[in-house]
Amino acid sequence: MANNEDKFKKIIAHAKEYGFVFQSSEIYDGLAAAYDYGQYGVELKNNIKNYWWKSMVQHHENIVGIDAAIFMHPTTWKASGHIDAFNDPMIDNKDSKKRYRADVLVENHIAKIEGKIEKEVKKASKRFGENFDEQQFVSTNPRVVKYKEQIESIKNRLYSALEEERLDDVKSLIEELGIVDPISGSRNWTEVRQFNLMFSTQLGSLSEGANTIYLRPETAQGIFVNYLNVQKTGRMKIPFGIAQIGKAFRNEIVARQFIFRMREFEQMEMQFFVRPGEELKWFEYWKEQRMKWHLEMGIPQSEYRFHEHDKLAHYANAAFDIEFNFPMGFKELEGIHSRTDFDLKSHQDHSGKKIQYFDPELNDSYVPYVVETSIGVDRTFLAVLSYSYTEEKLEDGSERVVLKLPPFLAPIKAAVLPLVKKDGLPEKALEIFDGLKYDYMCFYEEKDSIGKRYRRQDAIGTPYCITVDHKTLEDNTVTIRERDTMKQERVGIDKLSEIIGAKLKFNG
Ligand code: GAP
């Protein structure tokens, strides 16, 4: 644990030192849970968005993209259920003055009991060696069975209390379980209250009787309200999808862990419209497709897992998360939700506009069902960054930090470096830079020793460094150094574009 925390701190420091992520408004001591992407961060982020867009929109003949406004008619949020149900139950500790999500406090308590089960399993597996049957052990060992019953009973009580809005019982549960404030150790809790996560603002001037509007808490509603527009103008036939990338805003109670949980963040969402009754088939399809997308980045399966929701959102009839092994443990990265016809039906009711699809094969009209894939750009960024961050001890005893980013996501694809700052080498290097810059994001630098320049490129994940030396002037060859192996090869300048291009291929 201490090690992972340490690693997380190093990644955050690295992200700042190398221009990936800065605290928002840092010169004013920052604004909590808001972050700015720096010169390399924005490139990595754009490449992630581009990878998603290509794989969802360009690679599917039946998915199109849109870009809806952040501001939407206030009734949107009544229809979507966000005004009534987009709440988190919160509780304050009177001593530490810290605010927590009450359900998360209970879930953390459950995680502790799960930890105890894991310990028992480990102990037993050591004791029984090769003959150990984990399945049998967890279903028969009295201590483990007792822990499992405890977990089941806590979960039942928590989720039924939340569903039925019995917040006093959530508080009683916290008290009965003896849950203490993780900071102060105090049990001096306030009542549990609901806290709506939407930010509101005023449209128009107050003197004109301004209207309250909300910053969208998910991009999905921009897609639902445009369903008819896109279906008609795009002559889309079910099943089809609408994709969108954009900002979303949530007034998170507990916003921490760097860019994992922010109040302003970006989502990449796709709503897939299907025939009623076929939604679970498509749900399985998209679960598998989305996992493939993650693995295509070269990050192994062991870093991902599916997690089935215990408690379904008000609109869903099935929901899975793809969790990633972040430095702070496995946490949600993406959600795949079967949203039924809840949203379109509700918009139909609230707007009075008929939102239906005439299915020529069935010769019938219906409100389509929706399977949604929803992933955070910032969380994907954090997943890729933390997986890529590598500290290496080299053969000569020195150390380097290298970001082993998938090459197609790297901010800079090639750095062009003259060996020395004289003898016509900078001019030749700039000529090479100019030849590559229209196809690839390149970088030119002549300051410092070549070793230092290599290290800086390693630290931002540049797959190739191209070094121009005196021999280049004689025979138009350069050395090209590969980031991960650090191997250098002498190649003709005319081969560079092909070599770089080959490294950047992805299937998605
Ligand atoms: N339209 C469905 C929806 O918004 P969600 O599970 O609430 O579902 C989807 O959010 C994804 O958005 C999450 O899996 C996560 O990657 C990202 N996300 C949600 N809240 C976030 C936050 N406060 N900061 C960063 N990313 C967030």
Side-chain angles (χ1 to χ4, degrees):
M1 186 66 193
N3 259 345
N4 278 348
E5 258 173 41
D6 208 36
K7 185 177 176 201
F8 198 16
K9 277 191 192 146
K10 281 186 183 171
I11 291 165
I12 296 169
H14 189 88
K16 180 177 175 191
E17 186 180 346
Y18 288 94
F20 282 86
V21 183
F22 307 124
Q23 173 78 62
S24 159
S25 338
E26 194 188 314
I27 58 167
Y28 294 107
D29 294 334
L31 180 71
Y35 289 90
D36 299 337
Y37 287 84
Q39 64 275 27
Y40 296 126
V42 70
E43 296 295 337
L44 174 56
K45 197 178 182 208
N46 283 342
N47 292 341
I48 289 170
K49 290 196 270 187
N50 199 19
Y51 171 44
W52 185 87
W53 194 264
K54 277 203 165 139
S55 109
M56 299 301 268
V57 179
Q58 189 173 324
H59 299 180
H60 287 93
E61 84 291 352
N62 59 350
I63 301 182
V64 292
I66 63 162
D67 183 22
I70 288 172
F71 291 149
M72 299 181 73
H73 192 283
T75 310
T76 308
W77 306 112
K78 188 75 197 150
S80 68
H82 283 84
I83 288 182
D84 297 324
F86 196 53
N87 298 317
D88 275 346
M90 64 168 191
I91 189 164
D92 291 45
N93 186 278
K94 290 183 196 162
D95 296 322
S96 71
K97 307 268 183 283
K98 288 275 173 209
R99 178 165 290 175
Y100 300 95
R101 269 178 58 175
D103 55 334
V104 171
L105 284 180
V106 178
E107 276 163 1
N108 287 346
H109 183 84
I110 291 173
K112 275 190 195 149
I113 306 177
E114 283 168 344
K116 286 182 188 169
I117 296 179
E118 256 170 51
K119 255 193 199 153
E120 293 289 340
V121 170
K122 254 193 202 149
K123 252 186 356 200
S125 103
K126 248 192 203 158
R127 193 155 18 103
F128 293 114
E130 274 186 6
N131 298 326
F132 182 58
D133 179 344
E134 183 172 333
Q135 206 65 30
Q136 194 194 352
F137 177 78
V138 294
S139 54
T140 53
N141 177 276
R143 217 172 298 166
V144 172
V145 170
K146 203 179 104 212
Y147 287 144
K148 280 178 32 187
E149 282 168 2
Q150 272 177 9
I151 291 174
E152 209 45 38
S153 132
I154 297 171
K155 274 189 180 172
N156 283 342
R157 180 140 163 228
L158 174 68
Y159 297 135
S160 62
L162 288 174
E163 226 144 77
E164 292 156 24
E165 295 260 339
R166 286 183 285 102
L167 298 182
D168 50 342
D169 198 37
V170 178
K171 164 132 192 232
S172 307
L173 184 60
I174 288 174
E175 284 173 340
E176 284 166 36
L177 295 173
I179 294 176
V180 297
D181 176 353
I183 294 178
S184 64
S186 144
R187 295 182 188 191
N188 196 4
W189 297 110
T190 62
E191 296 306 308
V192 177
R193 276 166 293 161
Q194 288 291 18
F195 182 79
N196 193 288
L197 298 186
M198 281 196 294
F199 282 103
S200 62
T201 186
Q202 304 296 322
L203 188 74
S205 75
L206 285 174
S207 56
E208 291 164 1
N211 287 324
T212 297
I213 55 165
Y214 299 95
L215 298 186
R216 65 181 179 199
E218 61 171 11
T219 56
Q221 297 305 323
I223 289 178
F224 291 126
V225 300
N226 276 297
Y227 165 80
L228 283 178
N229 285 336
V230 176
Q231 193 273 320
K232 290 209 166 114
T233 59
R235 298 151 56 86
M236 307 303 290
K237 288 199 175 55
I238 271 181
F240 75 91
I242 306 178
Q244 176 170 218
I245 299 178
K247 289 263 179 164
F249 304 83
R250 297 182 189 178
N251 198 0
E252 300 280 1
I253 302 170
V254 189
R256 54 189 149 97
Q257 294 177 319
F258 193 40
I259 54 174
F260 181 80
R261 195 179 301 286
M262 301 194 287
R263 298 203 168 100
E264 173 183 343
F265 57 98
E266 229 171 328
Q267 289 185 315
M268 305 188 278
E269 297 201 296
M270 193 277 298
Q271 324 309 126
F272 200 69
F273 300 94
V274 305
R275 275 185 192 161
E278 293 194 351
E279 71 276 15
L280 294 179
K281 176 184 91 183
W282 286 110
F283 179 72
E284 286 307 318
Y285 171 82
W286 281 110
K287 250 176 78 186
E288 198 184 305
Q289 288 298 309
R290 292 305 304 147
M291 184 59 95
K292 269 196 200 151
W293 183 86
H294 289 279
L295 301 179
E296 187 65 32
M297 287 189 275
I299 302 177
Q301 178 75 69
S302 55
E303 301 297 309
Y304 296 95
R305 70 182 188 197
F306 281 116
H307 168 79
E308 187 172 6
H309 284 209
D310 285 323
K311 183 183 158 232
L312 290 175
H314 58 275
Y315 49 73
N317 72 357
F320 267 78
D321 291 337
I322 294 178
E323 294 188 337
F324 181 77
N325 190 11
F326 287 102
M328 60 283 188
F330 274 96
K331 300 248 180 231
E332 176 187 341
L333 168 60
E334 170 157 14
I336 297 127
H337 312 125
S338 173
R339 287 180 83 128
T340 68
D341 56 357
F342 172 87
D343 301 87
L344 290 184
K345 232 183 195 156
S346 189
H347 285 304
Q348 178 170 265
D349 292 346
H350 282 80
S351 67
K353 306 262 164 29
K354 195 168 156 194
I355 306 183
Q356 296 209 343
Y357 175 78
F358 176 74
D359 193 324
E361 281 172 37
L362 299 180
N363 199 22
D364 199 7
S365 292
Y366 51 78
V367 178
Y369 270 48
V370 172
V371 174
E372 144 185 280
T373 72
S374 175
I375 178 168
V377 176
D378 314 271
R379 282 193 195 174
T380 311
F381 185 108
L382 181 58
V384 170
L385 183 70
S386 51
Y387 181 74
S388 305
Y389 179 91
T390 316
E391 291 174 357
E392 276 183 356
K393 219 177 177 89
L394 304 179
E395 274 171 15
D396 65 3
S398 65
E399 283 174 15
R400 72 164 182 161
V401 172
V402 52
L403 286 190
K404 295 193 171 177
L405 294 169
F408 68 92
L409 295 183
I412 303 288
K413 308 305 183 200
V416 187
L417 314 169
L419 187 63
V420 289
K421 213 168 31 175
K422 54 181 186 185
D423 305 336
L425 298 190
E427 289 77 6
K428 187 71 187 171
L430 280 169
E431 205 182 293
I432 295 172
F433 176 89
D434 285 339
L436 294 170
K437 72 182 180 190
Y438 295 104
D439 294 323
Y440 307 113
M441 191 73 193
C442 293
F443 179 84
Y444 172 82
E445 192 177 49
E446 52 187 38
K447 197 171 164 286
D448 287 335
S449 75
I450 195 75
K452 272 194 186 153
R453 282 181 275 165
Y454 285 158
R455 286 290 173 274
R456 275 202 295 271
Q457 293 307 312
D458 289 344
I460 61 166
T462 305
Y464 285 124
C465 286
I466 297 161
T467 306
V468 175
D469 55 21
H470 291 94
K471 197 161 184 290
T472 311
L473 302 181
E474 290 162 20
D475 63 4
N476 268 333
T477 63
V478 290
T479 59
I480 182 161
R481 171 188 179 272
E482 203 272 333
R483 176 193 72 197
D484 297 348
T485 58
M486 295 186 288
K487 283 215 172 96
Q488 300 192 25
E489 215 189 320
R490 192 125 204 133
V491 301
I493 291 172
D494 56 346
K495 290 275 174 305
L496 286 173
S497 186
E498 198 184 314
I499 294 173
I500 300 166
K503 186 106 177 156
L504 304 179
K505 292 245 154 48
F506 67 89
N507 298 319

